[in-house]
């Protein structure tokens, strides 16, 4: 079944109340991050003072949504010790926070009794899920949408269980 999935910015622009993002992978091979990740590996770190260097359309979309009153939350379930990629993500998370997201981290060892969705996802206004599909190596494969009420209920409950245990970004040190 072929499915047209609107761009993230369009889905977030439609959002009125809440957007939650669940990330459960330890490695992502997303091509639009390759250059930045390589620079990070070479020792470059983004700073608050140089926002023009890292602010992008994603941050603008989030900031606009938050400005409209949308609560944007991101939870990351991570293995410890952290992968190199997750250490990179952690170092850049201040960008998400400055855009208006709330971000929390849950070590995978503390999630053993939780039921987790099989794919990363965004849930918009508790009415539409955009699942992110990735290969075993972390390469982006595609997106699918679901508005199935049972799936939304399960995903929402899973996210809230994770969120309640996870540590706010400023309390999760690496």
């Amino acid at each position: 079944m072929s499915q047209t999935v609107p761009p993230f910015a369009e889905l977030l622009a439609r959002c009125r109340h809440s957007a939650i993002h669940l990330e459960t992978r330890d490695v992502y091979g997303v091509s639009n991050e390759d250059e930045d990740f390589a620079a990070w590996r070479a020792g470059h770190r983004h700073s608050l003072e140089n926002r023009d260097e890292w602010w992008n359309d994603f941050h603008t979309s989030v900031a606009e949504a938050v400005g409209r009153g949308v609560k944007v939350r991101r939870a990351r379930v991570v293995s410890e010790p952290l992968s190199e990629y997750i250490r990179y993500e952690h170092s850049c998370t201040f960008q998400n926070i400055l855009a208006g997201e709330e971000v929390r981290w849950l070590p995978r060892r503390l999630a053993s009794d939780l039921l987790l969705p099989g794919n990363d996802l965004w849930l918009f206004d508790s009415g539409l899920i955009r699942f992110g599909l990735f290969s075993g190596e972390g390469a982006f494969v595609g997106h699918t949408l679901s508005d199935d009420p049972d799936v939304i209920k399960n995903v929402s409950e899973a996210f809230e269980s994770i969120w309640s245990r996870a540590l706010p970004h400023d309390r999760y040190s690496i």
Side-chain angles (χ1 to χ4, degrees), residues 156-169:
S156 183
E157 288 174 357
F159 183 87
E160 293 306 329
S161 295
I162 293 163
W163 189 258
S164 70
R165 289 187 189 184
L167 294 169
H169 178 71

Side-chain angles (χ1 to χ4, degrees), residues 20-24 73-77 101-106 159 162-163 166:
I20 60 174
H21 188 191
L22 178 61
E23 295 178 310
T24 62
R73 298 183 295 160
R74 176 187 303 253
R76 291 178 171 144
V77 180
E101 286 189 50
E102 296 176 49
V103 180
R104 292 188 182 182
W105 301 80
L106 181 63
F159 183 87
I162 293 163
W163 189 258

Side-chain angles (χ1 to χ4, degrees), residues 76-87:
R76 291 178 171 144
V77 180
V78 295
S79 299
E80 294 175 326
L82 299 175
S83 69
E84 183 181 39
Y85 182 85
I86 296 299
R87 290 193 315 273

